[in-house]
Amino acid sequence: MARRRGRGAVTLGSSRLYQCHHHADKSNRQYHLNRRGGEVWSRHQAKAEAEATSASVAKAKAKAQADSKSVSNIADPDADATPTDDDNAVWNQSKSDALSDFMSSWGDTMNQQYQEYGPGDDVNFNGVDVPSDLDDMKPAVGTKAINIAWSTDGKTKADYALLTIYSDAEDDDRAGGPHLYFFVLHKGTPQVLITEQTQGNAKHLLYFHTTANTQLSGGFTKIINGD
């Protein structure tokens, strides 16, 4: 009897020991499952946050592009292109006057007479009324149309700030040409764009490139820099 009781005690003790180990194994497995689950949740959360961030960046970029395109007012006859009187502005009335004097003297050296044009004051350049027709015949640099807008002080959301336009198209005694010049700031950098295009094209683009005349580009840069 004593042995049976002993065996029973041993059996009972083994059962308890098994139950304790079983409970510990189960808890340990549950801990690992919870830990793994947490890791999986963290990865999903990180992925979701990254996707949300990426979506926000894309949305902001699209909005910036839309805002930039919305300011392209180059063909608007009522656009304000009168230079500011602010002497501290990148472009102002004083610099506009200086450019006018420069174009007069430079034109004489080239045997060309230039006039200034702007919103509501077109020049007929080989059949295109500039700037009024530039919604239909968009300015391009290289092979693509550019985002360009009038600016009174050198600032704009567009890639190109158009400050003024000069052409010798109305000079019947000119040498060569006609020439059409856009005086711009391309992301803050002064550039003189020129076109001598004589024909239309299927893309309805008016192709420009930066002038190769260093006297002209250098003179404009000095005016912008206040030299």
Side-chain angles (χ1 to χ4, degrees), residues 109-176:
T109 64
M110 302 294 291
N111 194 25
Q112 298 159 353
Q113 299 300 312
Y114 285 90
Q115 293 186 44
E116 186 176 15
Y117 301 91
D121 182 18
D122 290 343
V123 57
N124 187 301
F125 180 75
N126 293 329
V128 179
D129 289 331
V130 177
S132 293
D133 286 348
L134 295 182
D135 268 347
D136 298 321
M137 198 73 173
K138 297 184 181 300
V141 173
T143 60
K144 296 182 179 179
I146 58 175
N147 186 9
I148 185 169
W150 286 105
S151 175
T152 62
D153 58 5
K155 297 179 181 179
T156 181
K157 292 181 179 180
D159 292 335
Y160 289 82
L162 178 59
L163 308 180
T164 190
I165 296 172
Y166 277 86
S167 178
D168 62 349
E170 295 184 5
D171 177 13
D172 295 331
D173 298 323
R174 66 178 177 270

Side-chain angles (χ1 to χ4, degrees), residues 4-178:
R4 286 197 294 272
R5 286 172 59 188
R7 288 176 182 177
V10 171
T11 301
L12 180 61
S14 298
S15 176
R16 288 175 180 171
L17 184 62
Y18 166 76
Q19 290 175 358
C20 289
H21 280 299
H22 178 69
H23 179 72
D25 290 344
K26 183 177 180 182
S27 298
N28 194 40
R29 286 196 302 272
Q30 187 64 42
Y31 166 77
H32 285 297
L33 286 173
N34 288 339
R35 186 177 66 177
R36 290 167 57 194
E39 291 173 349
V40 171
W41 180 82
S42 296
R43 288 197 298 271
H44 282 301
Q45 184 186 36
K47 182 179 180 181
E49 290 176 350
E51 290 176 346
T53 300
S54 178
S56 297
V57 170
K59 185 177 180 180
K61 184 177 180 180
K63 184 179 184 302
Q65 291 176 340
D67 290 343
S68 179
K69 291 178 180 178
S70 68
V71 301
S72 188
N73 60 351
I74 188 172
D76 184 355
D78 296 321
D80 185 9
T82 304
T84 180
D85 290 326
D86 183 358
D87 290 336
N88 296 318
V90 176
W91 177 248
N92 53 40
Q93 187 61 56
S94 177
K95 293 180 180 181
S96 175
D97 293 341
L99 181 60
S100 177
D101 292 340
F102 175 81
M103 289 300 292
S104 178
S105 60
W106 179 78
D108 287 342
T109 64
M110 302 294 291
N111 194 25
Q112 298 159 353
Q113 299 300 312
Y114 285 90
Q115 293 186 44
E116 186 176 15
Y117 301 91
D121 182 18
D122 290 343
V123 57
N124 187 301
F125 180 75
N126 293 329
V128 179
D129 289 331
V130 177
S132 293
D133 286 348
L134 295 182
D135 268 347
D136 298 321
M137 198 73 173
K138 297 184 181 300
V141 173
T143 60
K144 296 182 179 179
I146 58 175
N147 186 9
I148 185 169
W150 286 105
S151 175
T152 62
D153 58 5
K155 297 179 181 179
T156 181
K157 292 181 179 180
D159 292 335
Y160 289 82
L162 178 59
L163 308 180
T164 190
I165 296 172
Y166 277 86
S167 178
D168 62 349
E170 295 184 5
D171 177 13
D172 295 331
D173 298 323
R174 66 178 177 270

